[in-house]
Amino acid sequence: MRSSSSRGRTSHTPHHRTAALALAGVAALIAAAVQSGAASAAPAQPQAGKADPAHAALRLTPSQRAELIRHADAGRAATARQIGLGDQEKLVVKDVVKDADGTLHTRYERTYAGLPVLGGDLVVTTAKSGKTMDVVKATSATVKVAGLTPAVAKATAEKQAVQRARALGGTRSAADSVRKVIWAATGRPVLAYETVVGGLQDDGTPNQLHVVTDAATGKKLYEYQGVKNGIGNTQYSGQVTLITTQSGSTFTLNDGARGNHKTYNLNHGSSGTGTLYSQTNDTWGNGTNSNAATAGADAHYGAAVTWDFYKNTFGRSGIKNNGVGAYSRVHYGNSYVNAFWDDSCFCMTYGDGSGNAKPLTAIDVAGHEMSHGVTSATANLTYSGESGGLNEATSDIFGTGVEFYANNSSDVGDYLIGEKIDINGDGSPLRYMDKPSKDGASKDSWYSGIGGVDVHYSSGPANHFFYLLSEGSGTKVINGVTYNSPTADGLPVTGIGRDKALQIWYRALTTKWTSTTNYAGARTGTLAAAGELYGTTSAEYKAVQDAWAGVAVGSRSGGGGGGGTSYENTTPVAVPDNGPAVTSNITVSGRTGNAPSNLQVAVDITHTWRGDLVIDLVGPSGTAYRLKSFSGSDSADNVNETYTVNAAAESANGTWKLRVQDQATYDTGTINGWKLTFP
């Protein structure tokens, strides 16, 4: 473990870091990228390899952003009517992004009869003329319920939530809050209760367990943890410049150049704000744990670098883009081996690690945890299921971006998470972006049950995608670290560079995704972002397709498995609700030998609760290959995926069948089409 010390600078002489960063077929792009809405004509293609400046988000001042929000708020009733919302539905403006060409991306929450609609968020994109171009919704279902009077008592919902929290290690005997809501995030909207249980989890992390209960049946519909946590590497960053504030002879860790971000010492407590770091000289810490200010200096520096990364890379002014700083708390608990972001306090908190020996105050930890705040302020990806994995991956991706941006000689940028802290006791990193499964738990590629995996491990495919998009597949050495990134289909991916990959991910997060976005939606959103920035015929757009195919999400840019011969059936087949299996056939002829070990099966099914579906590929021999299993937690809409099947035991020629069965009630669907591709 490297040691360091940090020397401060008053806010009267701020130190600023600078960094320079750098639609033919638009109808197809909009069809792929937008769940509802209409598109306008496409502008000319941007210059090859260069982002289209017309689609770059403007760097708004806090007052400019506030004015756009006020304007959107004044017109929200008209917007609700224009996009077809019902009489009892109202919009609540959350954020506005403005492009250089005048296009506005306005993010809304929704209410129904005055009740919050969980999963009702949406993004409306309007042209400079005021014409609505796109509407992206977290749910495509019509928000309407039979009645607003619960059949289940509020106390019953609270009891259920508290019991669930205690089963997960919670300590509270009562809930912090219970409110009536409309639950629309997982299909058919219903009247429900949302109960929040606080206290502490069994490892000392604060608890904010959200439990959603059906107000008609008492059935638990959903749960997620409101405190976003993760483990990162303790990193002493050498002697760095800090911005502090001086009042008389006293200095405090208050960064006046970055929204007055403050850093506090909890002194091993687990509640409250703690004590603002204050002393009579402006040199903070001594590079070791013997001085409590060392961790404070690392946290303060990490917050400053994260602020600068977002400002200089994306033009974002703070976590909420409103110019207001969050705050940091260090020395949380006793031997607490974690760090977490909490929206309720708008703050970042660090433990001191095992034996209080290694505070988790690394640069990329700061970037990771504060990026949870950015996600909350934008797409607000629900911290459970596939959206939770994308939430975690977003923090890993931007935390890695912060580490590279810092350009700190004591912690050079890498695609490893936790490489300094030695949590595993053998010197290995906590997570690997080039091949996530190397940590023993994370997943390299998408599969149908990944929504049931812990979000810190279901993040693997998105982390892997980002690495492939940035650096490409295969073996290479970057900043002294050797990487070897495989792909799900065994085909190569050519990277476009980390800077472009970051811009694509950020634009998708801020203008394309909603709270319920899953992996298929993430692919759709990043393709839309890449198409707007670089054009739909660009190398960047194709690289996004190939990188997602490399983690088993969607098809290659050449179709299916990166080329080859495809056979397709586009005749719709209805999928009955909780009924018998249905099939769609494709007959292959004129080939020799057996099918390949990487047969690509592209499936397009419309369904309002895809977790109900069991999908098999049936070969000419009658052998079934499971593509997707039933999952009660996979609550998103539709199946639009490409699966890789080892069908080498099958004759290539013959009749292949896609077999689909809905195994639960309430939802129906349609097989729109499917395709076999022989690479």
Side-chain angles (χ1 to χ4, degrees), residues 540-561:
E540 290 81 5
Y541 187 88
K542 293 176 181 178
V544 172
Q545 290 178 297
D546 292 345
W548 277 122
V551 298
V553 181
S555 60
R556 287 265 173 171
S557 57

Side-chain angles (χ1 to χ4, degrees), residues 76-263:
R76 59 193 170 94
T79 300
R81 290 192 299 271
Q82 187 178 40
I83 64 175
L85 299 189
D87 292 340
Q88 296 201 72
E89 297 177 81
K90 296 185 184 301
L91 294 174
V92 180
V93 182
K94 182 177 180 180
D95 196 13
V96 181
V97 174
K98 184 175 184 179
D99 292 349
D101 67 356
T103 301
L104 293 175
H105 309 270
T106 308
R107 187 176 295 278
Y108 298 93
E109 303 289 350
R110 198 178 344 176
T111 64
Y112 176 88
L115 299 177
V117 180
L118 304 186
D121 53 301
L122 51 93
V123 180
V124 178
T125 298
T126 53
K128 185 177 181 179
S129 65
K131 179 182 178 182
T132 298
M133 298 168 63
D134 312 322
V135 182
V136 182
K137 297 178 180 178
T139 179
S140 58
T142 300
V143 177
K144 187 176 181 180
V145 297
L148 298 173
T149 302
V152 173
K154 186 177 182 179
T156 301
E158 178 179 14
K159 181 179 179 181
Q160 178 192 71
V162 170
Q163 288 176 340
R164 177 59 178 155
R166 292 181 74 86
L168 295 173
T171 57
R172 289 283 175 87
S173 58
D176 285 3
S177 64
V178 185
R179 64 173 181 167
K180 198 162 58 170
V181 299
I182 304 298
W183 176 249
T186 52
R188 182 171 55 89
V190 297
L191 182 68
Y193 291 107
E194 182 194 28
T195 307
V196 181
V197 184
L200 299 175
Q201 300 176 49
D202 54 6
D203 67 349
T205 304
N207 194 48
Q208 275 183 23
L209 183 68
H210 293 242
V211 178
V212 180
T213 305
D214 191 317
T217 66
K219 176 184 177 182
K220 188 188 79 172
L221 299 172
Y222 204 75
E223 70 177 47
Y224 70 94
Q225 179 55 247
V227 174
K228 288 82 173 179
N229 63 9
I231 301 173
N233 57 311
T234 297
Q235 177 58 54
Y236 299 99
S237 301
Q239 190 174 74
V240 297
T241 299
L242 300 178
I243 293 182
T244 62
T245 296
Q246 181 179 5
S247 177
S249 61
T250 301
F251 296 87
T252 58
L253 287 183
N254 180 357
D255 192 335
R258 299 178 179 88
N260 290 315
H261 185 106
K262 299 178 178 66
T263 301

